[in-house]
């Protein structure tokens, strides 16, 4: 690498590591734990994606491109640190049901106000069963209800009525912040995968990736900007989510087809922290 590229990569790593290290330090994760995971990841990625002529790389090649010794490579290949947990599907489906409850016109009264208490099942009025069938993507009523009860987004009374407590899915009674860490891992993975795809000259067809950046906005107007971005982004997220789910529901899954493990769109709002002292020219 040229010295200029080395410097750009160094700055890129610092930009990525800074917010990540803040999170790690809050959770008391020491450096040596992170370094061991990074070592394993280097070997894992190189063994899966950096072979030659369609063949898996040898241990010697992995050692050369990672800078690790043969012994270190051999030790890392014998363990698997990654658990491909699918728990995120639960909170995604539960969140979609809540969004449907808030956005669906059928769940508003004649004055346009949100109906916050609905029956679990009913033949003559909007019910929770219909929400799950329409927005969860095939989950059962019980599983979605249990997940929303666990996150304290809804309550359920013995007479069979579900009450909306908060219009978003986030587990507050999670002392270890497991769900928030799961959000962090998935969101960062998908964003970096998209960027990696777009800057890799071996891959064709860039994926959609946009960022807008403004400076010198008065702090007094920041909340207005955020509120507008939130409203428009939620509308877009709902529209794309419903369209992709429509494609899934109307696809012919009876025939054997190759299925994507995941597909979607990520949207986030950002602004400088209050203690952000860096000057952008």
């Amino acid at each position: 690498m040229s010295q200029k590229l080395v410097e750009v990569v160094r700055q890129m790593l610092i930009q990525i590591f800074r917010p990540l290290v803040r999170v790690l330090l809050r959770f008391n994760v020491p450096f040596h734990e992170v370094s061991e995971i990074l070592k394993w990841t280097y070997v894992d990625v190189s063994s899966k994606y950096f072979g030659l002529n369609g063949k898996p790389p040898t241990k010697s090649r992995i050692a050369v491109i990672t800078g690790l010794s043969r012994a270190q490579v051999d030790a890392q290949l014998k363990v698997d640190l990654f658990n491909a947990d699918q728990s995120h599907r639960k909170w995604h489906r539960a969140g979609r049901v809540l969004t449907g409850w808030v956005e669906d016109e059928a769940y508003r009264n004649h004055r346009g106000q949100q109906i916050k208490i609905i029956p679990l099942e009913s033949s003559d009025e909007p019910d929770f069963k219909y929400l799950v069938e329409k927005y969860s993507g095939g989950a059962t009523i019980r599983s979605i209800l249990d997940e929303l009860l666990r996150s304290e987004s809804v309550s359920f009374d013995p007479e069979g009525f579900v009450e909306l407590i908060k219009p978003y899915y986030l587990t507050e009674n999670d002392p270890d912040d497991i769900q928030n860490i799961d959000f962090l891992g998935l969101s960062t993975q998908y964003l970096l995968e998209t960027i990696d795809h777009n800057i890799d000259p071996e891959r064709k067809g860039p994926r959609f990736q946009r960022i807008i950046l403004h400076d010198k906005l008065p702090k007094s107007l920041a909340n207005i900007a955020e509120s507008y971005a939130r409203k428009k982004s939620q509308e877009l997220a709902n529209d794309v989510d419903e369209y992709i789910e429509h494609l899934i529901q109307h696809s012919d899954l009876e025939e054997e087809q190759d299925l994507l493990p995941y597909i979607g769109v990520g949207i986030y709002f950002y602004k400088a922290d209050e203690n952000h002292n860096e000057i952008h020219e």
Side-chain angles (χ1 to χ4, degrees):
M1 282 195 299
S2 67
Q3 188 56 42
K4 183 176 182 180
L5 180 56
V6 169
E7 180 60 25
V8 171
V9 170
R10 180 183 294 121
Q11 299 307 311
M12 177 268 293
L13 289 173
I14 292 173
Q15 288 175 297
I16 293 174
F17 287 160
R18 273 179 170 166
L20 179 59
V21 169
R22 282 205 303 269
V23 174
L24 295 173
L25 291 176
R26 280 205 305 273
F27 287 101
N28 300 313
V29 180
F31 170 77
H32 70 82
E33 179 71 22
V34 178
S35 66
E36 287 300 312
I37 295 172
L38 185 58
K39 184 189 301 181
W40 177 87
T41 306
Y42 255 72
V43 174
D44 179 66
V45 171
S46 59
S47 67
K48 291 177 178 176
Y49 301 105
F50 287 84
L52 293 175
N53 302 318
K55 297 180 180 179
T58 63
K59 293 179 183 179
S60 296
R61 173 167 170 75
I62 294 175
V64 169
I65 64 178
T66 62
L68 299 171
S69 68
R70 278 282 305 269
Q72 288 174 314
V73 169
D74 187 58
Q76 298 304 319
L77 287 172
K78 292 178 180 178
V79 297
D80 187 358
L81 299 183
F82 186 67
N83 175 25
D85 186 11
Q86 297 294 314
S87 61
H88 62 277
R89 295 183 181 275
K90 293 182 181 179
W91 52 254
H92 174 64
R93 290 180 172 184
R96 289 179 56 195
V97 170
L98 285 178
T99 300
W101 193 337
V102 172
E103 300 289 336
D104 198 318
E105 291 296 326
Y107 291 82
R108 295 184 177 275
N109 60 27
H110 65 281
R111 292 189 296 273
Q113 298 171 327
Q114 183 73 60
I115 301 175
K116 293 190 174 183
I117 301 178
I118 58 177
L120 185 66
E121 294 187 48
S122 175
S123 59
D124 56 3
E125 60 180 312
D127 60 8
F128 187 76
K129 178 182 178 183
Y130 176 75
L131 280 176
V132 174
E133 290 176 345
K134 184 175 181 180
Y135 294 105
S136 74
T140 64
I141 302 175
R142 190 73 247 180
S143 66
I144 294 297
L145 180 60
D146 288 344
E147 196 65 23
L148 293 180
L149 288 171
R150 188 177 71 84
S151 68
E152 298 181 356
S153 298
V154 304
S155 64
F156 183 61
D157 66 33
E159 296 182 3
F161 286 88
V162 184
E163 180 178 3
L164 180 65
I165 304 299
K166 56 187 182 185
Y168 57 89
Y169 177 80
L170 191 62
T171 301
E172 295 181 351
N173 56 345
D174 182 2
D176 294 324
D177 276 326
I178 290 175
Q179 186 185 92
N180 285 330
I181 297 173
D182 193 24
F183 282 153
L184 170 62
L186 285 172
S187 301
T188 307
Q189 173 191 339
Y190 297 156
L191 175 59
L192 289 179
E193 282 181 352
T194 297
I195 297 173
D196 173 43
H197 177 92
N198 290 344
I199 65 176
D200 186 346
E202 299 297 321
R203 302 190 190 185
K204 297 180 179 179
R207 296 172 184 169
F208 183 82
Q209 175 197 340
R210 297 291 185 275
I211 184 171
I212 60 170
L213 174 66
H214 295 272
D215 55 14
K216 298 182 174 64
L217 177 73
K219 289 184 178 181
S220 61
L221 300 178
N223 288 341
I224 297 176
E226 182 171 1
S227 177
Y228 181 82
R230 182 187 300 273
K231 179 177 181 296
K232 291 297 184 180
S233 298
Q234 186 63 63
E235 291 173 356
L236 174 61
N238 292 345
D239 185 49
V240 174
D241 189 38
E242 289 179 12
Y243 183 75
I244 295 177
E245 183 60 30
H246 173 81
L247 293 178
I248 294 172
Q249 295 298 329
H250 290 80
S251 61
D252 187 2
L253 293 180
E254 293 183 1
E255 296 183 10
E256 194 160 329
Q257 300 185 46
D258 291 333
L259 302 179
L260 284 172
Y262 52 85
I263 185 174
V265 174
I267 306 173
Y268 64 96
F269 175 85
Y270 65 93
K271 64 179 179 180
D273 293 334
E274 291 297 323
N275 59 353
H276 182 76
N277 294 319
E278 295 178 13
I279 299 176
H280 297 277
E281 298 295 341

